[in-house]
């Protein structure tokens, strides 16, 4: 049975669900804040910077999910021998947790 890794597992995030490492999250949040603060002086540039930060977040989000899916699949699909029932149970639980989190994400606010 797999032991939890302190680096990727936590009760709040589950195995490997850190979509944005803290440094990247802080950097992107700072870029967005800077865009907000420059709006009065240069509205177009502020919106372009916010768009760029959003694009980077969306790209990292998609890449993180793709990597998580690859790791999950490798745990049960690419084995020379059939995966054991316990490994399959853990994979199913992780798929369920990730999918439920995605389904319960709030929709972006719209005008």
């Amino acid at each position: 049975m797999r032991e939890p890794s302190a680096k990727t597992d936590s009760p709040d995030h589950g195995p490997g669900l850190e979509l944005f490492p803290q440094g990247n999250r802080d950097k992107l949040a700072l870029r967005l804040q800077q865009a907000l603060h420059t709006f009065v002086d240069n509205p177009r540039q502020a919106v372009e910077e916010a768009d760029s930060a959003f694009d980077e977040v969306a790209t990292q989000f998609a890449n993180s999910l793709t990597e998580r899916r690859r790791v999950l699949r490798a745990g049960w699909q690419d084995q020379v021998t059939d995966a054991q029932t316990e490994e399959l149970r853990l994979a199913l639980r992780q798929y369920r947790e990730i999918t439920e989190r995605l389904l319960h994400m709030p929709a972006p606010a719209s005008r």
Side-chain angles (χ1 to χ4, degrees):
M1 189 160 106
R2 187 176 81 71
E3 288 297 317
S5 161
K7 192 172 192 176
T8 59
D9 290 1
S10 77
D12 296 333
H13 296 101
L17 288 182
E18 181 87 34
L19 292 175
F20 300 99
Q22 186 66 44
N24 287 2
R25 190 172 36 228
D26 292 344
K27 180 179 151 187
L28 291 165
L30 181 61
R31 283 180 57 194
L32 183 58
Q33 284 301 312
Q34 288 172 337
L36 294 171
H37 291 302
T38 62
F39 182 79
V40 172
D41 295 329
N42 195 336
R44 179 168 292 282
Q45 183 180 353
V47 172
E48 287 172 353
E49 180 59 26
D51 177 67
S52 175
F54 176 83
D55 186 50
E56 190 170 335
V57 167
T59 299
Q60 285 186 23
F61 183 78
N63 290 344
S64 293
L65 290 175
T66 298
E67 176 61 13
R68 186 65 192 135
R69 182 179 187 198
R70 185 195 65 74
V71 169
L72 276 169
R73 279 185 170 176
W76 63 270
Q77 213 174 37
D78 296 337
Q79 297 194 12
V80 177
T81 59
D82 288 339
Q84 299 296 318
T85 302
E86 180 62 11
E87 292 166 329
L88 293 171
R89 185 188 70 75
L90 291 171
L92 182 59
R93 186 181 82 191
Q94 290 174 20
Y95 276 118
R96 183 195 73 213
E97 289 171 1
I98 293 167
T99 302
E100 285 177 349
R101 285 175 186 248
L102 291 172
L103 290 172
H104 290 96
M105 288 178 67
S110 60
R111 291 206 245 176

